[in-house]
Amino acid sequence: MKVFKLTIFGLLILYFQIIFAAKFMILGIIPNFLLAYIIYINLELEMTKSLTLAFFIGVALDLTQPLFLGLNTLSFLIISQLVQSFHLSINKKRFIVVTFSLLLLNIVYYFIYLLFYLITQNIDKSFGLILLFAVFYNTMITLLLSYFFQIAKRIHIVLDV
């Protein structure tokens, strides 16, 4: 039941990413809300279920972005593996430790995109600054959403009809 609920929740976040993420664009950087979701499901589920869910969410996002076909899936699987490997050793009660961990995961995520851009396109001098801003901007979004997901997990809505 938990996997089904998280799958439906993931589809809603995917829908939100596709339709509304462009409204949060700053300096041409669209935040990735699914990154926080991938981190959240890895904290909630065991490895096989979270990797499967991360794979399907990555494929669904890749289908909406044909230029990056497979890149989101690859990055979500790598991030899932990292979170599953190291999340037990991280003190989650410390805000600075969580922020630093999310910053490292965003660096990994954007490093994969940096490799893609280095191989496929000519990069100008301002690309590094834009990439650095993207890492910090998406880290702040991921941090806010991670705490939002943890708070939303504790809220129980009961319909009594």
Side-chain angles (χ1 to χ4, degrees), residues 3 6-11 14 32 34-43 45-63 70-84 109:
V3 176
L6 287 174
T7 303
I8 298 299
F9 189 56
L11 291 174
L14 177 67
N32 191 342
L34 288 169
L35 188 59
Y37 173 73
I38 296 299
I39 294 167
Y40 174 72
I41 63 169
N42 281 287
L43 298 176
L45 297 174
E46 59 200 36
M47 183 180 280
T48 56
K49 293 177 182 175
S50 63
L51 285 173
T52 304
L53 198 52
F55 174 78
F56 285 117
I57 293 293
V59 167
L61 185 60
D62 281 334
L63 291 175
L71 200 59
N72 288 308
T73 304
L74 175 68
S75 61
F76 286 168
L77 289 175
I78 289 171
I79 287 173
S80 293
Q81 185 66 39
L82 288 172
V83 172
Q84 283 290 332
Y109 179 76

Side-chain angles (χ1 to χ4, degrees), residues 96-114:
I96 294 174
V97 173
V98 171
T99 305
F100 185 70
S101 301
L102 293 177
L103 177 67
L104 288 176
L105 289 172
N106 275 287
I107 288 171
V108 168
Y109 179 76
Y110 280 104
F111 181 73
I112 293 169
Y113 276 90
L114 175 66

